[in-house]
Structure formats: C-alpha cells, structure tokens
Amino acid sequence: QVRLFVSGGGSVQAGGSLWLSCVVSGLTFGNFYMGWFPQAPGKERDGVASITNYDKTSYADPVKGRFTVSRDNAQMYLEMRNLKPEDTAMYYCAADVGYWRAPPLSASDYIYWGKGTQVTVAS
C-alpha cells in the first residue's frame, strides 16, 4: 500500500520562510515523481512544484524564485521563502509512477495523495 506522510507547515508572517517534507512508502518503482499541491478554501488544488526521480523540476509561475523543491530518494522537500498571504492554503503531497520531460503540476496526473498540512501567512 502506498502512503505519503507530510510534515512541516505552520504559521508565519509575510516575508517569512517555511519547510515542508513528504515521505512516500510502498512504491517499489524507482521512477516515481512527486508534487506539492496547495488548496485554499473554495479553490482548486493546483500544483506549485514537482520533481522527478532524476531531479527534473517544474514550478508554477507565482512561486518561481521563492519556492524550491528537492528530493532525497523517497523524501521530497519544499522550501518556501518570501511567503505571501496568498500562499495560505492546505498543502498536499502527491506521487505517481512514470517518466516526464517535465514533471506535471496538474492534480489529475497523480494518483497517490497524502494528508495536507496547513500553511498560514499573515499580512
């Protein structure tokens, strides 16, 4: 059974930084990709960063230059800097198996999901 465990998050003032971590277990294939998906109340779950097992990354435009996704085998990290109030959301981690030239940022391209962790940025 595939499971994803998310940790990190919390509350911070605008301009601050936070880390998120996601560990996946139960995936026996090495070629799996992972992504981070924030979801604010009433909004879609849109990806902001993703990474393949060969460290190819994708970022959504609003977070380029502020967020950095990294990976150490089955553990993925998200470093969030210069946080803005609009970054406030529940952040979910997701994974799936396959090869991409650039890892996807669409939730429909992922089948394994972890529980979210709240990120709150105060203005």
Side-chain angles (χ1 to χ4, degrees):
Q1 183 177 3
V2 178
R3 294 183 177 180
L4 286 78
F5 301 91
V6 180
S7 60
S11 298
V12 67
Q13 293 288 108
S17 300
L18 286 172
W19 277 88
L20 302 179
S21 174
C22 175
V23 178
V24 61
S25 64
L27 267 178
T28 57
F29 298 99
N31 57 323
F32 61 93
Y33 54 96
M34 303 177 72
W36 290 103
F37 291 81
Q39 186 172 23
K43 295 191 176 180
E44 298 290 324
R45 190 177 295 188
D46 293 323
V48 292
S50 57
I51 188 167
T52 66
N53 62 307
Y54 40 93
D55 292 334
K56 181 69 175 178
T57 58
S58 297
Y59 293 96
D61 286 344
V63 306
K64 286 180 179 177
R66 299 190 299 120
F67 289 13
T68 302
V69 62
S70 59
R71 179 172 169 174
D72 179 9
N73 196 13
Q75 187 157 6
M76 176 178 64
Y77 305 94
L78 185 67
E79 181 186 11
M80 303 180 289
R81 303 180 304 275
N82 190 22
L83 282 160
K84 303 177 180 181
E86 51 264 42
D87 296 321
T88 295
M90 187 72 75
Y91 281 69
Y92 295 89
C93 167
D96 204 341
V97 177
Y99 290 103
W100 293 81
R101 291 184 64 184
L105 293 174
S106 172
S108 62
D109 291 315
Y110 294 77
I111 61 171
Y112 302 112
W113 291 85
K115 294 183 178 180
T117 186
Q118 180 67 37
V119 170
T120 302
V121 185
S123 57

